Amino acid sequence: MFNERVYNFSAGPSMLPLPVLEKAGREITNFGLSGMSVMEMSHRSGAYQEIFDETKDLFRQVLSVPDTHEILFMQGGATGQFAAVAMNLIGRTGLADYAVTGNFSGLAAKEAKKYGQVHIAADTAAQNHTRIPRQEELELSPDASYLHYCANNTIYGTEWDYVPRTDCPVVADMSSNILSRPVDIAAHGLIYAGVQKNMAPAGMAAVIIDRSLAGQELACTPTILNYRVMIDKDSMYNTPPTFNIYMLGLVLKWVKEQGGVRGMEELREIRSSLLYDFLDNSRLFRGCAERSARSKMNVTFRTSSPELDALFVREAAEKGLVSLAGHRVVGGMRASIYNAMPVEGVRKLVEFMGEFEKNHKNGLQR
Ligand SMILES: *Cc1c(COP(=O)(O)O)cnc(C)c1O
């Protein structure tokens, strides 16, 4: 039980910036003298349309989205997009390339198989997904409709440091690193992200799509997953997740005030270096991912034994450093250090890791 806010290292849903939560709290019963909560507003009202337009504009500004690309807000999270991407885009040739570098890209490939032929362009499973393939290693099909990759592997703690090149449109799942650094949007045909990692409360996905890719959907595509319809209806074919969009707007304003995605990038360098520098000098803890593939958003690490890992997670939680257990498929620890994690939170974590190491000299592995 905590009387004050903890440092929450959850992979998602995860921390939101405190000023954003406070502003939403102040506006919770009466937004902008409308006499009602954003949650109670008609999505067709003028007041709500302003919130929607402002959020979309901010998203375009903050990520420098070119005019060729449309921004959509869709329900069903990132997992909904695993299906939407395939249903809307695989029809052109009936085949798509997937780079599998972790759990979610594997699930995306599996989902796509229902709608067409999937060619695995790379698979790092044999290395326990501790690395990212280089461009030269990708086995690309000449006739793929698109190449799908997951820019940051939330569970394994690896991150692509380049955009893969191929002759067809590139599709990226950026759920866990969007808004954390500048992105070459034009190098992508489509980018999607579940918002609950780094942008807003859970319940929707943001999609950035090159408009020229819409309109090739399979006949069976549900209307709410149809990019052409969603573009035509400006994400309002049906009731959009109105409160999430409002919260995203608040987060985007906050990001802009902190120096935009460049400001976020500087902060993620600081946070991740604090942790990785500690790990590289520790005799008890070690990082799980290969150095060249290390994620600056999800840092995975372990001690010498699962028992000591569990003890660490328990004792850290008692200090207000919570949700540090690794994903159940990999074990160990994972510190998710998204935009809203204060640098101070990572300092406190590293300090505690140092103490824990001193207290467990018998568990030392090197
Ligand atoms: C969390 C996550 C997902 C799944 O997101 P949902 O919104 O729960 O469907 C997919 N891809 C990545 C990279 C994720 O981190």
Side-chain angles (χ1 to χ4, degrees), residues 124-135:
T124 50
Q127 295 92 39
N128 262 323
H129 298 307
T130 53
R131 61 183 292 272
I132 295 293
R134 303 316 309 169
Q135 172 72 40

Side-chain angles (χ1 to χ4, degrees), residues 283-353:
R283 297 179 58 216
L284 177 62
F285 296 95
R286 75 192 139 88
C288 302
E290 270 190 17
R291 264 167 207 258
S292 62
R294 284 173 166 177
S295 166
K296 291 175 177 163
M297 307 307 282
N298 310 96
V299 178
T300 49
F301 56 99
R302 49 180 86 245
T303 66
S304 48
S305 78
E307 292 73 29
L308 213 48
D309 287 349
L311 184 66
F312 173 79
V313 169
R314 255 199 332 272
E315 289 189 359
E318 285 164 15
K319 303 242 170 204
L321 305 164
V322 311
S323 298
L324 281 162
H327 188 274
R328 62 197 141 71
V329 306
V330 291
M333 275 78 72
R334 170 178 52 178
S336 296
I337 46 176
Y338 300 123
N339 286 353
M341 172 59 68
V343 171
E344 187 56 22
V346 181
R347 282 217 181 88
K348 287 253 159 67
L349 172 60
V350 166
E351 206 177 280
F352 176 65
M353 289 166 80

Side-chain angles (χ1 to χ4, degrees), residues 122-169:
D123 188 350
T124 50
Q127 295 92 39
N128 262 323
H129 298 307
T130 53
R131 61 183 292 272
I132 295 293
R134 303 316 309 169
Q135 172 72 40
E136 315 78 70
E137 294 175 70
L138 300 175
E139 290 172 27
L140 302 166
S141 315
D143 56 344
S145 296
Y146 60 90
L147 163 67
H148 179 285
Y149 77 107
C150 179
N152 185 74
N153 297 289
T154 322
I155 293 177
Y156 294 89
T158 60
E159 185 170 14
W160 293 63
D161 65 356
Y162 70 102
V163 178
R165 275 171 287 107
T166 181
D167 292 334
C168 58

Side-chain angles (χ1 to χ4, degrees), residues 76-80 82 104 150 152-154 173 175-176 194 196-197 204:
T79 305
F82 295 168
F104 291 114
C150 179
N152 185 74
N153 297 289
T154 322
D173 177 353
S175 296
S176 46
Q196 71 275 24
K197 312 281 162 67
M204 79 176 187

Side-chain angles (χ1 to χ4, degrees), residues 78-89 108 111-112 115 221 225 227:
T79 305
Q81 295 304 310
F82 295 168
V85 163
M87 294 180 124
N88 283 274
L89 305 184
E111 189 73 7
Y115 308 107
T221 307
L225 293 184
Y227 294 139

